Amino acid sequence: MCGRAACSLNPDTLCRACDYKDATGKRRTTSWTKSDVEYVPSTNIGPKDVLPCLVSGSYFQKEDERVLCSMMWSMIPPWHEGDYRRHNLSTHNARLENLKSSKLYSPPLRKGQRCIVVCEGYYEWKAGKTKKDPKQPYYIYAAQEKEVRADDPTTWKDEWSEESGWKGFKVLKMAGIFNKFKTAEGKTIYSCTIVTTKSNSVLSWLHDRVPVFLNTEQDSQVWLNGELSVAEAVNKLNKLTLSDGDLSYHTVSTMVNSVLCKNVDCRKEIKPTAKEKSNPTSFMASWLKRVSAESAKRKSTETEKDDDKSPKIAKKK
């Protein structure tokens, strides 16, 4: 399952972070192709927001083997009419097991409309011990070098060379399917869905579904190969598995629960105490208490400042 993501790298940096080796073995950065939806970097991206996707350049009749394209995250049904953002189907995820029989996903899959959805990480919620317990959000991302913190971009490098490639933050690459939709105004809207599969022991403690991760360059090349049949493509994905050490994760605050919250602290790590770790409800209650106290302190300070600024009324003698 993947219902919220983070991708804060600017478009130029993404070109370097999504580098690849072409057919001649030369390392190249990835260029952008035109899109009628705009990618806006954010730490809290939800369905119907926009994510960067890698697509075979041949689909757009480009000389480059691979291009980046901004796509709305939530595939628009081809039978939809009117505002493309107002379709009411949940299409941001597609089950791998159902791809071949799906009336929505199998047609673009047969046409070779496969993409790689790119992000820095995604969020998942772990249910509490009881229905009354609040869910704890986690931030999941690719394992990084020891000195790199996923919640602190100041620790990220922005280095690329043709010899050694990208030396910055390692992004997640997830198998996706895309389609295009023509609006009444003549715009072409590309939209995508992330393919998910059953979770294995690496993340099954958190959720029973995970995105299909493309961990190697070979995985990416295979998935973007539009000549593969539907059966071959699905079979390739079925063979991909997560291993210990591929991913890292940490707890974050519940501010990420609202897709309207785009605060940079959405992915900031919150470390519970040993006691709070054993009691998620206590941890969340403690965090909310701290936030409320800080908010009350700010309001008190603001009120005092306002009182100082208010006109003084002289007492009558």
Side-chain angles (χ1 to χ4, degrees):
M1 185 67 180
C2 182
R4 207 68 63 74
C7 195
S8 62
L9 293 175
N10 65 54
D12 288 340
T13 304
L14 272 172
C15 291
R16 296 186 287 277
C18 295
D19 66 347
Y20 66 99
K21 286 187 176 181
D22 63 17
T24 67
K26 182 179 179 180
R27 190 176 296 277
R28 302 168 61 96
T29 57
T30 308
S31 61
W32 286 86
T33 191
K34 184 181 179 182
S35 175
D36 285 325
V37 291
E38 182 184 4
Y39 159 64
V40 178
S42 173
T43 57
N44 193 2
I45 298 172
K48 297 187 180 179
D49 285 340
V50 177
L51 279 170
C53 295
L54 289 165
V55 184
S56 172
S58 61
Y59 179 83
F60 296 100
Q61 297 181 336
K62 299 281 187 179
E63 292 183 1
D64 295 336
E65 290 182 17
R66 199 174 296 180
V67 296
L68 277 162
C69 181
S70 299
M71 297 190 187
M72 187 180 84
W73 180 22
S74 189
M75 189 179 288
I76 306 165
W79 55 82
H80 178 72
E81 297 180 354
D83 187 344
Y84 66 90
R85 289 181 57 85
R86 292 186 178 277
H87 76 82
N88 56 8
L89 293 182
S90 179
T91 58
H92 57 285
N93 287 167
R95 286 177 171 258
L96 176 59
E97 307 92 296
N98 302 335
L99 287 185
K100 289 187 286 187
S101 60
S102 170
K103 293 182 179 179
L104 176 58
Y105 302 123
S106 61
L109 191 56
R110 283 197 300 271
K111 296 176 184 176
Q113 292 173 193
R114 305 180 193 115
C115 63
I116 298 173
V117 181
V118 180
C119 64
E120 291 151 23
Y122 74 100
Y123 300 94
E124 192 58 84
W125 283 257
K126 181 174 176 57
K129 293 182 178 179
T130 70
K131 291 184 178 180
K132 292 183 180 180
D133 292 333
K135 292 183 177 181
Q136 172 61 54
Y138 283 77
Y139 184 53
I140 299 103
Y141 46 94
Q144 306 291 322
E145 299 297 330
K146 189 175 181 180
E147 69 278 4
V148 177
R149 288 184 53 86
D151 60 352
D152 184 4
T154 63
T155 66
W156 304 358
K157 294 179 181 178
D158 188 355
E159 299 176 6
W160 183 90
S161 68
E162 189 176 321
E163 294 74 29
S164 56
W166 174 243
K167 292 297 183 182
F169 191 86
K170 298 174 185 176
V171 294
L172 287 179
K173 295 178 180 179
M174 300 173 282
I177 303 169
F178 73 95
N179 214 342
K180 62 180 181 179
F181 179 83
K182 281 283 188 181
T183 69
E185 298 76 26
K187 291 183 178 180
T188 300
I189 307 299
Y190 290 97
S191 60
C192 66
T193 185
I194 293 173
V195 180
T196 67
T197 187
K198 294 178 182 177
S199 184
N200 66 6
S201 59
V202 177
L203 285 178
S204 58
W205 61 271
L206 180 58
H207 202 280
D208 62 351
R209 306 289 302 180
V210 293
V212 176
F213 297 103
L214 303 172
N215 294 321
T216 68
E217 176 59 23
Q218 184 179 10
D219 293 340
S220 296
Q221 289 175 353
V222 169
W223 181 242
L224 292 183
N225 180 4
E227 296 180 0
L228 286 180
S229 68
V230 174
E232 288 174 321
V234 171
N235 185 49
K236 293 286 185 183
L237 293 190
N238 272 317
K239 292 180 178 179
L240 300 180
T241 58
L242 275 175
S243 301
D244 288 329
D246 287 339
L247 299 175
S248 296
Y249 51 83
H250 61 246
T251 51
V252 295
S253 83
T254 53
M255 71 170 66
V256 75
N257 291 1
S258 171
V259 73
L260 299 178
C261 179
K262 306 296 185 183
N263 193 298
V264 293
D265 287 339
C266 281
R267 64 182 171 198
K268 186 175 180 61
E269 181 175 8
I270 291 181
K271 295 182 179 179
T273 63
K275 182 178 179 180
E276 289 171 336
K277 285 181 180 178
S278 62
N279 189 340
T281 305
S282 172
F283 165 51
M284 292 307 300
S286 175
W287 180 82
L288 290 170
K289 185 177 180 180
R290 288 198 298 270
V291 172
S292 297
E294 291 172 2
S295 177
K297 186 177 179 181
R298 284 197 301 271
K299 288 182 180 179
S300 176
T301 303
E302 290 170 358
T303 301
E304 290 175 2
K305 288 181 179 179
D306 290 341
D307 289 343
D308 291 339
K309 293 178 182 178
S310 59
K312 305 295 183 183
I313 301 176
K315 292 182 179 179
K316 291 183 179 179
K317 294 182 178 179

